[in-house]
Amino acid sequence: MHKRSDFTRSILLKAGVLGLAATVSFAGQAAAEYPTKPITIVAPYGAGGASDLASRTMASVLPGYIGQPVLVVNRTGAGGVTGSTFVNKSKPDGYTLLLARIGSQSVSPAMKANIPYKYDDFTMLAVIELNPVICATSSEKPYKTMKDLVDAVKAKPGELSFSSAGVGSMLHIAVPLVLNEMGVENPKEAMNHVPYKGGGNAATAAVGGHVDLVCTNSSSLAGHIAGGILRPLMITTPERQQVAPDAPTARELGFPGVEALVGWSGIYGPPGMDPAVADKLRAAFQKVKEDKAWNKFTKALGSVPYILDGPETKAFVDKQFNAFNTLVEKLGMRIE
């Protein structure tokens, strides 16, 4: 009886080991063959915004380095949280990726206590670009300088308005940060916040004069500024940029603290991705880094090509989240 039991246990143990080996072998084969079908990048904000533009620019060149078509799908809502949650809960097979944005991956996790993911609850693949932030107003508005607008806010608190890509987006926190740095009392309530679905819609609201101010990524405003429809009042980079050469820097205006506002895009996967698949994607992004067409397209949108590897991406994102977490606490903008 005991001998048969020992024998049975031995057989079961061997079967389990063989089954595990087969599973590992199959997973390894799948990783080696990846990708075998199109890859989808989910842009968590609306058409025409920074996430949409960065997604489509990347999708236009990445197939040449990964060997499969790359599709872009916009899943909007909740300041980028809807699309980010979709990817967070997706199968971690490398076929559903997220165009990660500063708002959905740093600001929202810092501001919103009840979102269904943490800032680092993803497979971080690469940061791909930086976006200078520009504060702009309609050319039909009377504000010729940032001082003009801030003076109007101080004179009429609660009357002027600004647009954002949604509650918890980078655009949402940008204006209170700017007003705080420029000495406006109660910066969270000094201007009316009008949330939209995505940075493109937020920019359009400023173009139409429906709001008085938008502070957003240069890629969302470049065309409107070039066409003379929007008047840039300030840019957050230490140096002036070609996208808005007449816009003074925050440092020039005496407010270097505003330089904390810098947009960025990255590519994330769901948590638990096969490391071999993640490494294949990271290697492809490093090749895109040298792609002349991608660099040209990205710069034409007013963004800065900035592709980081895995460890660099993690260090960058950690620093961003910690900075906004501190800022949210300081401004009392935590949403419980």
Side-chain angles (χ1 to χ4, degrees):
M1 180 73 179
H2 289 292
K3 288 183 180 179
R4 181 177 296 179
S5 178
D6 291 343
F7 177 75
T8 301
R9 281 197 294 268
S10 176
I11 292 296
L12 291 173
L13 179 61
K14 288 179 180 178
V17 170
L18 289 173
L20 178 60
T23 300
V24 172
S25 175
F26 178 78
Q29 182 181 359
E33 294 176 352
Y34 172 87
T36 58
K37 61 182 181 180
I39 296 167
T40 297
I41 296 178
V42 174
Y45 296 96
S51 74
D52 182 63
L53 296 169
S55 299
R56 297 183 190 283
T57 302
M58 179 57 72
S60 70
V61 299
L62 186 59
Y65 302 101
I66 203 68
Q68 285 288 340
V70 178
L71 313 175
V72 176
V73 174
N74 297 87
R75 285 184 173 269
T76 65
V81 171
T82 300
S84 298
T85 301
F86 175 82
V87 174
N88 181 262
K89 303 302 182 186
S90 294
K91 188 176 179 180
D93 55 8
Y95 292 101
T96 304
L97 305 178
L98 173 69
L99 194 290
R101 285 293 303 167
I102 178 177
S104 55
Q105 308 312 128
S106 290
V107 179
S108 280
M111 286 185 68
K112 300 176 180 179
N114 61 348
I115 65 173
Y117 59 84
K118 296 180 180 179
Y119 86 95
D120 56 356
D121 191 17
F122 293 85
T123 300
M124 298 179 188
L125 299 170
V127 166
I128 61 171
E129 68 172 17
L130 299 179
N131 313 112
V133 170
I134 295 175
C135 291
T137 188
S138 166
S139 58
E140 301 297 319
K141 296 285 183 179
Y143 318 113
K144 305 299 183 184
T145 66
M146 197 69 204
K147 184 178 184 302
D148 290 344
L149 188 134
V150 171
D151 286 347
V153 171
K154 289 178 178 178
K156 299 178 289 185
E159 291 192 22
L160 276 66
S161 60
F162 72 95
S163 57
S164 84
V167 174
S169 65
M170 187 271 289
L171 283 66
H172 181 193
I173 201 170
V175 171
L177 168 63
V178 168
L179 297 179
N180 181 68
E181 290 289 328
M182 295 185 173
V184 175
E185 293 184 6
N186 194 15
K188 190 174 69 170
E189 309 294 340
M191 294 185 74
N192 289 318
H193 171 221
V194 184
Y196 289 85
K197 288 187 176 181
N201 291 333
T204 300
V207 167
H210 305 300
V211 295
D212 298 288
L213 181 69
V214 63
C215 291
T216 188
N217 307 288
S218 56
S219 55
S220 297
L221 303 182
H224 302 305
I225 291 171
I229 303 170
L230 285 180
R231 178 183 300 122
L233 302 178
M234 179 182 70
I235 193 165
T236 64
T237 48
E239 299 84 25
R240 294 196 182 199
Q241 300 293 322
Q242 185 176 349
V243 65
D246 296 329
T249 68
R251 187 176 293 269
E252 287 177 53
L253 296 179
F255 304 102
V258 176
E259 290 176 2
L261 283 174
V262 58
W264 55 268
S265 298
I267 304 290
Y268 287 5
M273 279 181 63
D274 185 324
V277 170
D279 285 345
K280 269 195 172 184
L281 286 163
R282 291 186 182 111
F285 294 129
Q286 290 304 308
K287 292 175 182 176
V288 172
K289 185 176 183 176
E290 307 301 325
D291 187 284
K292 292 182 179 179
W294 178 80
N295 276 275
K296 180 180 179 181
F297 294 156
T298 300
K299 290 176 182 176
L301 292 171
S303 298
V304 179
Y306 193 70
I307 294 185
L308 303 180
D309 64 22
E312 291 171 337
T313 293
K314 180 67 165 61
F316 176 89
V317 173
D318 285 348
K319 184 177 180 180
Q320 280 279 302
F321 172 77
N322 290 331
F324 280 102
N325 198 40
T326 300
L327 185 60
V328 164
E329 197 69 43
K330 177 182 176 181
L331 296 179
M333 295 184 70
R334 186 95 59 202
I335 301 170
E336 299 296 339

